[in-house]
Amino acid sequence: MKTSNHLHTEATEVLKETSRTFFIPISLLPEGLKEGVGSAYLCMRAIDEIEDDPEMESSLKIQLLSSISTILKEDDPREQLNELLKPHQNRLPEVTSRISDWVIYCPEGIRKEVLKSTSIMAEGMAKWVEKEWKITNEEELDDYTYTVAGLVGVMLTDIWNWYDGTTADKNLGIAFGRGLQAVNILRNYKEDETRGVSFFPEGWNLDEMFAYAQRNLELADLYIKDIDNTTILHFCKIPLTLAHGTLQALMEGKEKMSRNDVEDAVNKVVGK
């Protein structure tokens, strides 16, 4: 078994490689909270890579995601996860093939809640792969964005409470995740179209998706209002501020925020 220092270093490296958005706020968290949020992100990113793999056949995605969902309900899922993924290691990214490491990286006191949210997410992703991500109305869009991002808000709210008793509204936490995901959908919809996928409900245009993202980001603003812990508040405000900025840029016809705008937004949040 890897030492905790080794695992921390490797988890940090994999996190840096897989998430430009969340690496910065996670790196600013104190010991304990950093491992809790970092491991949770890595577990969820591990299954997200399966769902998003453009080369993997749908039947294998469904089988892997459904199996992971079931295995994560076990008291110690590491051995079964390794057995499940070992035959596919050559085609899986490191963040996915090492999900058992991220399980043990997670602090024991919050591990059960992190694995529960990841399990629900994996089951939901398998369902959406089977449905070929066909979204017909806003209710289905809500279901999809809950599965892939709203659950992140639920899990983070559990982590805040575990860490120091910080309380926040889980329903607003779901909106926090939904808002970030809606902005991602808007950022990537042209690329998604090239692979035959659209996350817009039938009949929706850009204006309606802009409005959906804005509604959820406004609820996300309410989510962070009651958070007193400055470190946790900064963690939430960084991606939320970037989401607001990105949405504004997209509504102005730009592809994304400029690098300088991103740096300025982050510095403004953390008081630099």
Side-chain angles (χ1 to χ4, degrees), residues 179-243:
L180 301 188
Q181 184 63 27
V183 173
N184 280 339
I185 289 171
L186 283 160
R187 279 185 61 203
N188 300 320
Y189 80 94
K190 291 180 181 177
E191 181 183 329
D192 291 332
E193 284 177 352
T194 63
R195 58 191 184 96
V197 175
S198 173
F199 297 104
F200 286 42
E202 291 178 7
W204 274 33
N205 56 31
L206 277 173
D207 287 341
E208 285 158 314
M209 188 60 87
F210 282 143
Y212 179 85
Q214 189 65 52
R215 285 197 302 275
N216 280 287
L217 289 181
E218 287 171 0
L219 292 172
D221 289 335
L222 294 178
Y223 174 71
I224 67 173
K225 267 193 172 181
D226 293 330
I227 295 176
D228 294 327
N229 182 303
T230 302
T231 303
I232 293 174
L233 183 60
H234 283 172
F235 175 87
C236 295
K237 283 185 76 172
I238 290 172
L240 183 54
T241 299
L242 294 178

Side-chain angles (χ1 to χ4, degrees), residues 30-59:
E31 187 176 343
L33 195 55
K34 183 183 294 184
E35 288 77 10
V37 177
S39 62
Y41 176 84
L42 289 167
C43 285
M44 289 186 164
R45 184 59 185 256
I47 60 174
D48 184 58
E49 290 285 352
I50 295 174
E51 186 206 11
D52 284 347
D53 190 323
E55 305 297 329
M56 188 181 293
E57 53 273 24
S58 292
S59 59

Side-chain angles (χ1 to χ4, degrees), residues 38-142:
S39 62
Y41 176 84
L42 289 167
C43 285
M44 289 186 164
R45 184 59 185 256
I47 60 174
D48 184 58
E49 290 285 352
I50 295 174
E51 186 206 11
D52 284 347
D53 190 323
E55 305 297 329
M56 188 181 293
E57 53 273 24
S58 292
S59 59
L60 180 55
K61 288 184 180 185
I62 293 167
Q63 186 245 320
L64 290 177
L65 289 167
S66 297
S67 298
I68 289 171
S69 176
T70 300
I71 292 169
L72 289 178
K73 295 171 185 174
E74 301 291 332
D75 289 335
D76 187 351
R78 288 174 292 165
E79 187 175 340
Q80 290 184 68
L81 287 171
N82 287 334
E83 288 177 3
L84 173 71
L85 298 177
K86 189 174 181 179
H88 312 285
Q89 275 199 315
N90 290 339
R91 69 185 301 177
L92 295 173
E94 183 180 8
V95 68
T96 304
S97 64
R98 294 187 62 185
I99 188 171
S100 62
D101 282 338
W102 317 143
V103 169
I104 198 63
Y105 181 54
C106 186
E108 192 172 349
I110 193 60
R111 190 178 298 157
K112 184 177 180 180
E113 285 76 13
V114 168
L115 298 189
K116 179 182 178 182
S117 290
T118 309
S119 172
I120 296 170
M121 182 181 283
E123 183 179 11
M125 284 179 171
K127 179 188 77 173
W128 279 103
V129 172
E130 193 168 13
K131 291 179 69 170
E132 298 179 331
W133 303 279
K134 290 177 180 173
I135 295 172
T136 58
N137 53 42
E138 185 170 351
E139 183 180 358
E140 290 188 347
L141 177 60
D142 275 345

